[in-house]
Amino acid sequence: ILNVEQSPQSLHVQEGDSTNFTCSFPSSNFYALHWYRWETAKSPEALFVMTLNGDEKKKGRISATLNTKEGYSYLYIKGSQPEDSATYLCAPTGGGSYIPTFGRGTSLIVHP
Amino acid sequence: DTEVTQTPKHLVMGMTNKKSLKCEQHMGHRAMYWYKQKAKKPPELMFVYSYEKLSINESVPSRFSPECPNSSLLNLHLHALQPEDSALYLCASSQEFSAANGYTFGSGTRLTVV
C-alpha cells in the first residue's frame, strides 16, 4: 500500500476563482496516477489517468500535471463553478502493483 | 451502456442475517473490484476479479464472500457481519486489470449493520 497525501483536506472558494490542489506519492516504481471527482450521492468519476513524467492533461476547465521524479501531481480548476463542488481523489499505482491506492481526497466547495 | 449498477442502494441488516450486494456492468470490462469506504477515509480495496477469477483478496474476513458468476456480474455475500462493517461498499470495473483508462464506479451500497 502506497503512502498518498492530498492537500489541502478541504477548500472553500468563490465562484470564478481558480484553484489547485496537490497529490504526493512515492516516486519509486511508479506506474500511473488516477484522478477522480466524487460528487455527493453519485459515483466517483474518472477524470484523468496519467503515466508519463511531465504529462499534462486537460478536460474543460480542469487540468492536471504529473511529476513522477519527485512524486507529485497538481489538479487545477480554472474559473470554479458551483457544480465543481466535489471531493477530488488521487490514486497512484506503483510498487509492483497495478491497483491504485486512494488518497483521502480534497473536498472542494464553490460558493455562488 | 457506460454504467456500473449496484443494488441495493441502502441495506440494513442484523448481525445474524445473510444478504448479498450486487454489481453489474455491460461495458465488456474484464476486471471488477469491491471497495469499502468509511466516513472521512479513502476507499479501501477488498477484492479484485480479472477474467472472472479472483486475483486479489486484501485479507478480507471470511464473513465477506465475493462471487463472479459471469463477466458482467459481481456479487458480495455477507454473513454474520459486525457493526464496524457498516460502510459504503463500492463496486468498480475497468477494461483490463491495468486500468489504463481508469475505473468506472457504481454509486455504492450504504450498509448498516445493527
Side-chain angles (χ1 to χ4, degrees):
Chain A
I1 296 178
L2 304 178
N3 183 23
V4 183
E5 298 285 340
Q6 287 192 249
S7 62
Q9 191 171 343
S10 65
L11 195 53
H12 290 249
V13 301
Q14 290 297 125
E15 183 175 354
D17 289 349
S18 293
T19 187
N20 65 86
F21 19 94
T22 306
C23 172
S24 302
F25 52 88
S27 57
S28 60
N29 297 317
F30 172 85
Y31 173 67
L33 182 96
H34 301 216
W35 278 103
Y36 292 86
R37 173 170 60 200
W38 195 358
E39 294 179 65
T40 303
K42 293 190 178 180
S43 316
E45 173 198 359
L47 291 173
F48 308 112
V49 178
M50 310 173 79
T51 55
L52 299 176
N53 184 46
D55 207 2
E56 181 170 346
K57 294 209 172 184
K58 192 173 179 181
K59 186 176 183 176
R61 293 179 290 98
I62 304 177
S63 60
T65 61
L66 179 65
N67 183 322
T68 61
K69 294 188 186 308
E70 295 181 42
Y72 63 84
S73 176
Y74 293 136
L75 190 81
Y76 301 92
I77 302 178
K78 185 177 176 182
S80 304
Q81 300 296 307
E83 57 265 30
D84 295 327
S85 297
T87 296
Y88 291 83
L89 294 166
C90 78
T93 66
S97 172
Y98 286 132
I99 303 296
T101 299
F102 284 86
R104 287 174 179 262
T106 292
S107 173
L108 173 68
I109 297 175
V110 182
H111 298 280
Chain B
D1 188 352
T2 57
E3 287 186 349
V4 171
T5 303
Q6 286 188 246
T7 54
K9 292 198 182 307
H10 300 274
L11 178 63
V12 179
M13 62 184 290
M15 289 188 283
T16 58
N17 291 161
K18 285 186 182 182
K19 296 285 184 184
S20 297
L21 309 185
K22 181 179 170 182
C23 173
E24 201 162 1
Q25 57 88 14
H26 297 286
M27 295 175 282
H29 287 180
R30 303 318 300 263
M32 297 185 76
Y33 311 81
W34 280 116
Y35 279 85
K36 174 182 178 180
Q37 199 243 350
K38 301 205 78 157
K40 308 289 186 189
K41 297 279 183 71
E44 292 179 3
L45 183 69
M46 299 176 72
F47 302 103
V48 181
Y49 274 82
S50 180
Y51 287 84
E52 298 155 54
K53 290 192 177 0
L54 184 64
S55 297
I56 295 176
N57 175 341
E58 289 287 298
S59 302
V60 179
S62 60
R63 57 186 185 268
F64 296 91
S65 175
E67 179 196 18
C68 189
N70 59 59
S71 60
S72 299
L73 192 53
L74 185 66
N75 297 320
L76 186 63
H77 302 298
L78 314 173
H79 174 54
L81 294 194
Q82 302 297 310
E84 59 264 28
D85 296 321
S86 299
L88 180 69
Y89 289 83
L90 287 164
C91 175
S93 68
S94 61
Q95 283 182 314
E96 298 285 343
F97 187 68
S98 60
N101 295 317
Y103 290 1
T104 301
F105 279 91
S107 56
T109 294
R110 176 72 61 186
L111 175 68
T112 303
V113 182
V114 297

